[in-house]
Amino acid sequence: MSTIFSKIAAGEIPSYRVAADDRHYAFLDINPVTPGHVLVIPRKEEDYIFNLSDDDYSALTLFAKRVAKAIEQAIPCKRVGVAVIGLEVPHTHIHLIPISSEADMDFHNKAQLPSTEMEAIAKSIADKYSELYPEG
């Protein structure tokens, strides 16, 4: 059975997409820890990140790095924090969170932003991604 993330990547469920390629999909978390919080997933379903093949793990990490570079340019922050928890959805995902302090990585402090703000954030990150990586 497809995970919710597979359905999002396939376009069956709407999302605030920021980047994608044939193996990966990146989109805004609908309950962000901070504005610009992005989830990066492999299109291939795998519940646990360390069960990915070495090639799939490396490709996912490199794709996440590219998305993080776009986030850094689109969202005012000191760094992009990285977390892999993997308990809420049984599909490997990397959290990329714009942060200015360690306290910004508090997963107990999630927000809900208006759709207009989510759309503007997604567009800003997607535009920066396209500028940085015009080849996709």
Side-chain angles (χ1 to χ4, degrees):
M1 185 167 163
S2 291
T3 69
I4 190 169
F5 287 171
S6 291
K7 291 176 181 177
I8 288 170
E12 297 170 22
I13 296 174
S15 69
Y16 298 99
R17 178 183 166 268
V18 299
D21 65 17
D22 61 331
R23 295 172 66 182
H24 312 99
Y25 192 83
F27 57 101
L28 293 182
D29 189 313
I30 59 169
N31 293 304
V33 173
T34 65
H37 177 171
V38 172
L39 299 175
V40 179
I41 65 167
R43 290 183 186 271
K44 178 180 174 182
E45 288 185 13
E46 175 54 62
D47 179 24
Y48 185 47
I49 194 168
F50 296 122
N51 287 344
L52 292 172
S53 70
D54 290 350
D55 178 59
D56 289 339
Y57 178 86
S58 297
L60 178 65
T61 303
L62 290 172
F63 182 77
K65 177 182 177 180
R66 291 171 65 161
V67 173
K69 293 293 184 185
I71 293 169
E72 286 175 341
Q73 290 193 11
I75 306 294
C77 61
K78 287 186 179 177
R79 302 274 165 111
V80 174
V82 179
V84 178
I85 300 167
L87 297 174
E88 290 182 352
V89 177
H91 190 129
T92 294
H93 54 288
I94 297 173
H95 296 264
L96 299 177
I97 303 169
I99 61 172
S100 292
S101 73
E102 288 181 14
D104 291 338
M105 291 291 289
D106 183 358
F107 279 81
H108 297 100
N109 188 26
K110 293 185 175 188
Q112 286 192 318
L113 304 174
S115 62
T116 53
E117 188 173 348
M118 293 288 279
E119 289 166 3
I121 291 168
K123 181 178 181 338
S124 179
I125 297 169
D127 288 350
K128 291 297 180 185
Y129 187 89
S130 294
E131 287 174 21
L132 290 167
Y133 309 101
E135 72 285 355

